[in-house]
Amino acid sequence: MTSSNSFNVAVFPGDGIGEEITKPCVEILQEAIGKVGGFSASFDWLPAGAGNYRDTGQSLPKDSMAKAAKSDAILLAAMGLPDIRYPDGTEISPQIDLRFEFGLYAGVRPVRSIPGLSPVLNNPDAHALDFVIIRESTEGLFASHGKGTVTNDAEARDTLLITRDVSERLFDFSLNLGRKRKNQGKSGVVTCVDKANVFKSFAFFRKVFDERAALNKDVATDHMYVDAAALNMVRKPWDLDVLVTENMFGDILSDLGAGLIGGMGFAPSADIGDEHAVFQPCHGSAPDIAGKKLANPTAMFLSGAMMLEWLGDKHGCNEAEQAGALVRAAVDAAFANGDLITGELGGKAGTDDVSRAVMTALKELDPAQHGVG
Ligand code: ATP
């Protein structure tokens, strides 16, 4: 851990709704930072994405990449547009390239209900969902990204990769998170989600999980096949705490998780490696609603909160952790009375309404009541 209280954040607003949700997010983070005090952050806006590729021929310019590599954290909104593609027809997705480039193996996808939002599941326990999916983000089926083959227009192949090195680090990260959550009064059970009954690669994934679990006996662990995990996420998600899984399974299950808490606009994420981390909402660039001020910026705000907490934890800066917690508390306060209803949930609240409500709540919050001061 390096001790620091001055951070440089590389900001990628990207495409589609990206810029609309990044602007209020940075304003809210700056407000929280000023309110808590004791540390500072500068925000360096960098070009990248499908629009940049259209305009300059580069999806992730070298200069942006170099600045991101030197930054303390990367805040990314969304990248990619369906009608702008590379010559081979594939979509432009520099956010996936960043995961490989910086070794961001731990994709952290919290599934936490926001008080005040109508739960999607009709069960009293569904008001307070709080579990985390850890999606491995550099290998699995996505290791085949750009490498798949089609032979004679008759057979297609993509190869799934599981390595011991990345799996060990992924499981250690997940077991540490389970330990932290247990200390916060949650169950802290870490469940390995796989398909070990059918595939060698997943039997290996599970074997490595069990080896790491044996070295962390204070953390309770479990196993679940991915099909059962999908069922249990709908049947009794309140029983889950930390789920760790392969890249493609995590991609699918985390969208299911977002659905459980109201939609993509409420689901934040972090892609974390040993040195770098990217914080971005789970959703894409949503071109269908871009420019209409309809995008829900909540997932972006919560991703920013995760970023401040990660910076605080990594650099021993309590104030940054407290500012992150304050942003989350402001989001909760903004939605608490049930009047703020976004488009995904059938309401009319758009980007400006949500941003204003969260900023107002943040200004009214007393940091001392959130462990600050
Ligand atoms: P990607 O493949 O890049 O993840 P996607 O194809 O999953 O993207 P999204 O861009 O995430 O698509 O959008 C999926 C749907 O969710 C769209 O109808 C979009 O309008 C909606 N959506 C996504 N993000 C938001 C948001 N922040 N607020 C409101 N609606 C959203």
Side-chain angles (χ1 to χ4, degrees):
M1 183 176 77
T2 50
S3 181
S4 177
N5 65 356
S6 168
F7 305 113
N8 174 251
V9 178
V11 182
F12 286 109
D15 300 306
I17 60 172
E19 192 152 330
E20 296 165 48
I21 58 173
T22 304
K23 204 169 159 286
C25 177
V26 171
E27 283 167 9
I28 280 166
L29 296 181
Q30 277 171 328
E31 176 69 22
I33 292 166
K35 226 173 142 104
V36 174
F39 78 108
S40 65
S42 60
F43 294 84
D44 195 2
W45 291 58
L46 302 172
N52 199 72
Y53 176 78
R54 178 195 54 214
D55 299 341
T56 69
Q58 289 189 307
S59 55
L60 189 50
K62 276 204 176 78
D63 187 50
S64 297
M65 193 60 189
K67 285 184 174 149
K70 277 203 212 131
S71 69
D72 295 299
I74 300 164
L75 184 64
L76 191 156
M79 290 188 195
L81 291 169
D83 48 354
I84 302 176
R85 294 180 183 244
Y86 292 121
D88 69 359
T90 57
E91 272 191 46
I92 289 150
S93 46
Q95 69 279 25
I96 299 180
D97 303 334
L98 282 173
R99 289 177 199 154
F100 287 99
E101 189 70 31
F102 290 140
L104 309 177
Y105 54 87
V108 182
R109 311 288 175 98
V111 182
R112 187 188 70 95
S113 309
I114 295 176
L117 295 188
S118 303
V120 173
L121 299 177
N122 186 14
N123 184 300
D125 288 327
H127 283 279
L129 299 185
D130 182 2
F131 65 98
V132 183
I133 297 170
I134 308 292
R135 163 192 177 184
E136 196 294 312
S137 298
T138 58
E139 48 185 43
L141 194 53
F142 280 70
S144 193
H145 181 59
K147 298 182 193 147
T149 57
V150 180
T151 310
N152 299 331
D153 204 24
E155 189 177 292
R157 280 171 200 257
D158 278 293
T159 304
L160 183 150
L161 173 74
I162 304 289
T163 67
R164 167 173 287 281
D165 174 44
V166 167
S167 301
E168 284 184 352
R169 286 187 281 152
L170 174 79
F171 295 139
D172 287 352
F173 180 96
S174 307
L175 292 159
N176 267 330
L177 180 65
R179 184 178 291 116
K180 264 193 206 161
R181 288 175 62 91
K182 194 173 173 201
N183 289 339
Q184 293 165 356
K186 297 160 188 166
S187 86
V189 177
V190 181
T191 303
C192 178
V193 175
D194 56 48
K195 196 72 185 168
N197 51 337
V198 177
F199 296 105
K200 272 200 174 151
S201 52
F202 283 111
F204 179 66
F205 190 72
R206 183 179 284 210
K207 174 175 166 292
V208 178
F209 175 78
D210 289 343
E211 288 172 13
R212 301 317 285 184
L215 297 173
N216 293 274
K217 284 211 160 69
D218 59 311
V219 182
T221 58
D222 199 358
H223 304 106
M224 217 179 266
Y225 296 131
V226 65
D227 39 344
L231 178 70
N232 288 332
M233 277 178 64
V234 175
R235 239 169 39 97
K236 42 178 186 170
W238 37 88
D239 282 354
L240 304 172
D241 206 72
V242 177
L243 303 179
V244 56
T245 191
E246 178 270 340
N247 206 340
M248 182 71 162
F249 289 168
D251 187 26
I252 299 166
L253 291 181
S254 54
D255 269 26
L256 173 53
L260 290 174
I261 54 165
M264 301 304 285
F266 292 102
S269 83
D271 291 319
I272 297 179
D274 294 332
E275 298 298 329
H276 297 276
V278 173
F279 298 83
Q280 75 169 117
C282 287
H283 58 74
S285 62
D288 54 331
I289 55 166
K292 299 179 183 161
K293 299 207 164 193
L294 294 174
N296 178 2
T298 309
M300 186 75 193
F301 300 164
L302 293 172
S303 302
M306 289 174 79
M307 180 184 78
L308 293 179
E309 287 177 329
W310 177 81
L311 280 169
D313 187 44
K314 184 162 189 261
H315 297 280
C317 177
N318 285 339
E319 293 89 347
E321 287 195 68
Q322 288 162 348
L326 207 59
V327 170
R328 188 173 306 111
V331 166
D332 286 1
F335 284 98
N337 70 10
D339 290 345
L340 191 65
I341 306 172
T342 62
E344 303 124 297
L345 296 173
K348 290 204 163 39
T351 317
D352 292 346
D353 304 304
V354 176
S355 303
R356 211 176 305 113
V358 174
M359 183 61 101
T360 304
L362 181 58
K363 286 189 169 162
E364 283 169 5
L365 280 180
D366 177 1
Q369 293 195 339
H370 295 271
V372 184

